[in-house]
Amino acid sequence: MIGATGSIGRSAADVAATQPDRLRLVALAARARWQDACALAQRFGVEALALEDEGAASAAAERLAGSGVAVLRGAAGVAEIARWPSADVTLAAATGIAGLPPVLAALRAGKDVALANKESLVAAGRLVSETARLCGARLLPVDGEHCGVFQCLHGRPPGSDLARLWLTASGGPFRAWDAERIARATPDEALRHPVWPMGRRITVDSASLMNKGFEVIEAAWLFGLPPGDIRVVVHPQGIVHALIQFVDGAFLAQCSHPDMRLPIAYALGFPDRWPQSRVPTLDPTALGRLDFEPPDERRFPCLRLAYDAAERGRLCPAALNGADEVAVERFLRGEIAFGDVPSVLEDALARHDEGDDGSLDAVLAADGAARARARAWARRVSLAPRAGRTAEGG
Ligand code: MG
């Protein structure tokens, strides 16, 4: 398990704890939360633990001395956990572009990857898909909407009978807000997600619909469809996670209580389903109503930016993700406004140079360049008076 101490990691640990006959956690990696990582390692009796942060790794090594748990350090240690010999499947649950190298390490070792790190496919979709194909490894979607599509398709690739896919979006905390109020939203307001408890970055990305835009790109790679055949529909109750539309006009939908333990268990158990004692069961008679509405790209321009980047292709989505990671971080620190986030992304995309040799280095270079541009934009804006701002950061 990579990203063991994050939101997905905690849910996955819960799944592992309820499925002792089916799952054994053998190795885990985290970035810096060494106390949580050590507690998990001891609870599950893992063979090895890696911490990306060197200081955290030293602290963990001291804590676990004599316990029989090998402690690895740095990015190399994380990659080693990703391809750990006794593991059948690697759960990739780190957040951000930092989650990409371990995904590639796992695939290159022929490990199936239960993929919760969407940035891997957003930034490096071609590289990740090709690596999986060449190494005979499967990508099993953990992202709730993609797991919903995967369930509707019974794990088969889409056939010629499929017309399009629909991903649902809760609409986030600003679904009913006007554009002006959204632009002035505070970090606390953006972090109040109405349906899913998640990490901070993805929660802010959900409030801007950037997360849904990334999910369109992710779905395009997972299911081999053009981005235009992947639609978004706002569904505030978060009960329907995805719909697939056939050429004859019929739809299939995947519905469940919004709980990440379901997609995690489905990805790890596929093609089997396991009883989930801790997840509340959906009662259709108690649902009352389910609402659906089109997304408003005027109030939520990040969604359109994602489609634009997907259509341009190559390294554009990598630049979009890199700029977004910086923009969200600066927003959470109070340095830029929520309404500045799409402007930072637009600036990064407008100045993005084409050119893609398909390598990890090219992806990381595009990511780094977009981050540098986003940082420069945020610096100009945070120094500028609040009034009279322009998209150029004036
Ligand atoms: Mg999702």
Side-chain angles (χ1 to χ4, degrees):
M1 189 198 297
I2 310 297
T5 56
S7 165
I8 298 284
R10 286 195 301 274
S11 293
D14 200 52
V15 171
T18 54
Q19 307 288 343
D21 302 336
R22 299 179 170 105
L23 290 174
R24 194 161 67 85
L25 182 58
V26 292
L28 59 90
R31 201 178 57 78
R33 282 188 216 153
W34 64 271
Q35 290 103 327
D36 293 353
C38 287
L40 269 179
Q42 289 181 305
R43 178 176 164 209
F44 287 95
V46 303
E47 295 162 20
L49 153 72
L51 285 148
E52 192 170 346
D53 181 88
E54 298 274 344
S58 299
E62 206 169 302
R63 167 77 58 91
L64 295 174
S67 69
V69 180
V71 177
L72 313 175
R73 53 187 68 218
V78 175
E80 215 171 310
I81 297 294
R83 56 174 179 261
W84 195 252
S86 59
D88 301 314
V89 56
T90 299
L91 174 63
T95 181
I97 192 75
L100 170 60
V103 165
L104 290 171
L107 293 173
R108 284 178 182 143
K111 305 283 181 196
D112 289 340
V113 171
L115 187 69
N117 172 264
K118 67 186 61 155
E119 292 86 350
S120 297
L121 283 175
V122 170
R126 184 173 309 281
L127 176 63
V128 168
S129 312
E130 284 287 288
T131 304
R133 195 179 56 80
L134 291 172
C135 300
R138 291 183 302 183
L139 286 169
L140 302 158
V142 171
D143 204 344
E145 299 74 8
H146 306 73
C147 180
V149 170
F150 192 64
Q151 291 183 51
C152 289
L153 292 168
H154 296 284
R156 290 191 298 262
S160 57
D161 57 349
L162 188 89
R164 59 176 60 100
L165 306 179
W166 294 81
L167 309 179
T168 58
S170 72
F174 310 144
R175 181 174 64 88
W177 291 23
D178 64 40
E180 209 159 289
R181 191 171 167 212
I182 293 172
R184 289 185 279 106
T186 66
D188 277 350
E189 289 168 331
L191 288 171
R192 238 173 265 147
H193 195 274
V195 179
W196 298 94
M198 301 178 289
R200 285 160 67 84
R201 187 211 172 197
I202 187 174
T203 303
V204 174
D205 277 342
S206 296
S208 67
L209 290 196
M210 186 74 260
N211 180 56
K212 209 49 58 179
F214 287 147
E215 290 184 351
V216 169
I217 301 172
E218 182 187 10
W221 285 111
L222 274 174
F223 304 111
L225 293 170
D229 286 349
I230 299 158
R231 302 286 174 85
V232 171
V233 59
V234 174
H235 166 48
Q237 290 90 354
I239 297 295
V240 178
H241 305 295
L243 306 105
I244 69 174
Q245 178 184 345
F246 294 101
V247 290
D248 61 359
F251 282 69
L252 289 181
Q254 189 266 322
C255 311
S256 55
H257 189 77
D259 188 313
M260 281 312 294
R261 289 174 291 193
L262 282 172
I264 291 166
Y266 188 80
L268 296 176
F270 177 79
D272 296 333
R273 287 183 187 274
W274 300 332
Q276 289 290 321
S277 53
R278 295 193 190 173
V279 178
T281 304
L282 203 61
D283 176 4
T285 64
L287 281 176
R289 55 186 277 181
L290 297 176
D291 297 294
F292 298 91
E293 61 195 40
D296 181 350
E297 293 190 359
R298 192 186 55 80
R299 286 184 301 134
F300 300 99
C302 288
L303 186 58
R304 178 182 46 79
L305 290 176
Y307 276 104
D308 289 350
E311 296 293 347
R312 277 172 69 186
R314 294 157 74 93
L315 292 170
C316 255
L320 182 67
N321 178 68
D324 183 66
E325 287 193 27
V326 170
V328 168
E329 177 198 292
R330 297 298 148 113
F331 164 68
L332 286 173
R333 281 203 235 152
E335 293 175 14
I336 66 172
F338 193 76
D340 290 329
V341 171
S343 308
V344 173
L345 307 185
E346 254 169 38
D347 179 71
L349 283 182
R351 294 170 199 225
H352 165 70
D353 296 321
E354 297 297 345
D356 180 7
D357 66 2
S359 69
L360 177 59
D361 285 347
V363 170
L364 296 180
D367 172 74
R371 280 168 191 274
R373 280 186 295 270
R375 277 191 216 103
W377 201 103
R379 209 173 302 123
R380 286 199 302 277
V381 155
S382 60
L383 294 174
R386 289 267 151 183
R389 262 183 211 171
T390 71
E392 281 69 53

